[in-house]
Amino acid sequence: MNIRKGNPEDMKSVLELIQELAIFEKEPEAVVITEEDLVRDGFGENPLFQVFVAEVENEEKQKEIVGIALYYYRYSTWKGKTIHLEDLIVKEKMRGTGLGSALYAEIMKQGKKDGVRRVEWNVLAWNTPAVNFYKNSGAKILDDWQVVQMDEAGVNAFLEKL
């Protein structure tokens, strides 16, 4: 297994993993981004995200991307610079191999290298294996905070009321 920073040529595989995660999370229709969006947004003049990819040699002796950890920087008024881990995805056939742990460790190493005071992410409450993994790693799951989002339709509806 090799973990490295992703590049534009990896975005087709990254998108496939994002789509696999959406299926796992029971929202396959929710993914609207394209490979072109990922290339533009991750590798343009002002990249909006960074990504680590995990690759292994497949049956055909070719390198195959089988996991990703996509993250970006945020700013906390209490802590300063933080990392937000948007997604840690491992192909289903590779789960339980230690690949997810290795990607997770790479994010923590990046946070330490960057001097961030917090690494944060969301996890679905029903994803018991992930919840247990994070708890066992020493992460705190905040029960008293709720994720708040407004989708594009909600933004438009809100602005129409102004």
Side-chain angles (χ1 to χ4, degrees):
M1 168 180 32
N2 179 43
I3 295 180
R4 62 173 173 78
K5 287 280 192 157
N7 60 53
E9 294 75 31
D10 298 327
M11 293 306 103
K12 181 178 189 289
S13 297
V14 168
L15 181 57
E16 289 169 1
L17 282 163
I18 291 168
Q19 291 165 331
E20 184 174 323
L21 177 66
I23 291 167
F24 174 76
E25 292 184 351
K26 302 170 181 59
E27 292 196 56
E29 70 289 339
V31 178
V32 297
I33 63 166
T34 65
E35 181 181 345
E36 293 76 23
D37 292 332
L38 289 168
V39 170
R40 179 195 65 230
D41 296 341
F43 302 93
E45 191 173 315
N46 295 304
L48 298 175
F49 69 86
Q50 298 193 36
V51 63
F52 287 108
V53 298
E55 57 188 7
V56 297
E57 197 173 90
N58 64 19
E59 300 82 29
E60 293 84 35
K61 304 289 186 205
Q62 298 174 329
K63 291 181 179 179
E64 177 187 1
I65 294 174
V66 292
I68 66 165
L70 191 143
Y71 67 99
Y72 55 90
Y73 296 93
R74 293 173 62 174
Y75 195 82
S76 164
T77 56
W78 289 11
K79 301 294 181 188
K81 185 177 181 180
T82 67
I83 284 180
H84 181 84
L85 174 58
E86 180 63 21
D87 279 319
L88 191 147
I89 309 169
V90 174
K91 274 194 175 189
E92 186 173 12
K93 69 179 184 178
M94 296 300 294
R95 293 184 191 142
T97 65
L99 192 132
S101 295
L103 283 165
Y104 182 75
E106 204 63 38
I107 290 294
M108 297 307 155
K109 289 177 196 173
Q110 186 69 45
K112 178 96 171 143
K113 176 182 166 191
D114 293 340
V116 301
R117 293 191 178 108
R118 180 170 66 206
V119 178
E120 59 192 354
W121 61 96
N122 298 318
V123 62
L124 290 167
W126 58 260
N127 189 349
T128 308
V131 169
N132 290 336
F133 171 80
Y134 296 136
K135 282 182 179 177
N136 289 335
S137 79
K140 291 183 259 176
I141 297 180
L142 307 176
D143 293 328
D144 51 344
W145 286 82
Q146 294 186 0
V147 176
V148 180
Q149 295 180 337
M150 189 174 296
D151 63 14
E152 186 177 9
V155 169
N156 291 335
F158 173 79
L159 292 174
E160 287 172 10
K161 294 178 186 177
L162 296 181

Coordinates of all heavy atoms in Angstrom, one line a residue, residues 5 14 33-34 39 42 65 69 71 76 87 89 98 101 118 125 148 152:
K5 N -0.1 12.2 -1.8 CA -1.0 13.3 -2.2 C -1.6 13.0 -3.6 O -0.9 12.5 -4.5 CB -0.2 14.6 -2.3 CG 0.2 15.2 -0.9 CD -1.0 15.9 -0.3 CE -0.5 16.7 0.9 NZ -1.4 17.8 1.2
V14 N -11.1 9.1 -7.5 CA -11.7 9.8 -6.4 C -13.2 9.9 -6.5 O -13.9 9.6 -5.5 CB -11.0 11.2 -6.1 CG1 -11.7 12.0 -5.1 CG2 -9.5 11.0 -5.7
I33 N -21.3 16.4 -8.2 CA -20.0 16.9 -8.7 C -19.5 16.0 -9.9 O -19.9 14.8 -10.0 CB -19.0 17.1 -7.6 CG1 -18.6 15.7 -7.0 CG2 -19.4 18.1 -6.6 CD1 -17.4 15.7 -6.2
T34 N -18.6 16.5 -10.6 CA -18.0 15.8 -11.7 C -16.5 15.7 -11.5 O -15.9 16.4 -10.7 CB -18.3 16.5 -13.1 OG1 -17.6 17.8 -13.1 CG2 -19.8 16.7 -13.3
V39 N -11.1 18.4 -10.4 CA -9.9 18.9 -10.9 C -9.8 20.4 -10.7 O -8.8 21.0 -10.2 CB -9.7 18.5 -12.4 CG1 -8.5 19.2 -13.0 CG2 -9.5 17.0 -12.5
G42 N -9.8 21.4 -6.8 CA -8.7 20.9 -6.0 C -7.3 21.2 -6.5 O -6.3 21.1 -5.8
I65 N -6.3 3.0 -7.0 CA -6.7 3.8 -5.9 C -7.8 3.1 -5.2 O -8.9 2.9 -5.8 CB -7.0 5.3 -6.3 CG1 -5.7 5.9 -6.8 CG2 -7.5 6.0 -5.1 CD1 -5.9 7.3 -7.4
A69 N -8.6 10.2 1.6 CA -8.9 11.1 2.7 C -8.9 12.5 2.2 O -7.8 13.0 1.8 CB -7.9 10.9 3.9
Y71 N -9.6 16.5 2.5 CA -9.7 17.4 3.6 C -9.5 18.9 3.1 O -9.1 19.1 2.0 CB -8.7 17.1 4.7 CG -7.2 17.3 4.3 CD1 -6.5 18.4 4.6 CD2 -6.6 16.3 3.5 CE1 -5.2 18.6 4.2 CE2 -5.3 16.5 3.1 CZ -4.6 17.6 3.5 OH -3.3 17.8 3.1
S76 N -11.2 28.3 13.1 CA -12.1 28.4 14.3 C -11.8 29.6 15.1 O -10.6 30.0 15.4 CB -11.8 27.1 15.2 OG -12.3 27.3 16.5
D87 N -14.1 13.5 3.9 CA -14.4 12.1 3.7 C -13.2 11.3 3.8 O -12.1 11.6 3.3 CB -15.0 11.9 2.3 CG -16.5 12.2 2.3 OD1 -17.2 11.9 3.2 OD2 -17.0 12.8 1.3
I89 N -12.6 7.5 2.8 CA -13.4 6.4 2.0 C -12.4 5.3 1.7 O -11.3 5.5 1.2 CB -14.0 7.0 0.7 CG1 -14.8 8.3 1.0 CG2 -14.8 5.9 0.0 CD1 -15.2 9.0 -0.3
G98 N -6.6 -2.3 7.3 CA -5.7 -1.3 7.9 C -5.5 -0.1 7.0 O -4.9 0.9 7.4
S101 N -7.1 3.0 8.6 CA -6.3 3.5 9.7 C -5.1 4.3 9.2 O -4.7 5.3 9.8 CB -5.8 2.3 10.6 OG -6.9 1.7 11.2
R118 N -7.0 21.5 15.9 CA -8.2 20.6 15.9 C -8.3 20.0 14.5 O -8.1 20.6 13.5 CB -9.4 21.3 16.3 CG -10.7 20.5 16.3 CD -11.9 21.1 16.9 NE -12.3 22.3 16.1 CZ -13.0 23.3 16.5 NH1 -13.3 23.4 17.8 NH2 -13.4 24.3 15.7
A125 N -24.5 8.5 12.7 CA -24.7 7.8 14.0 C -24.9 6.3 13.8 O -24.5 5.5 14.6 CB -25.9 8.4 14.7
V148 N -25.8 21.5 10.8 CA -26.8 22.3 10.2 C -26.3 22.6 8.8 O -25.2 22.9 8.5 CB -26.9 23.7 11.0 CG1 -27.9 24.5 10.3 CG2 -27.2 23.4 12.4
E152 N -28.9 24.0 -1.9 CA -29.0 25.1 -2.9 C -30.5 25.5 -3.0 O -30.7 26.7 -3.0 CB -28.6 24.5 -4.2 CG -28.6 25.6 -5.3 CD -28.0 25.1 -6.7 OE1 -27.8 23.8 -6.8 OE2 -27.8 25.9 -7.6

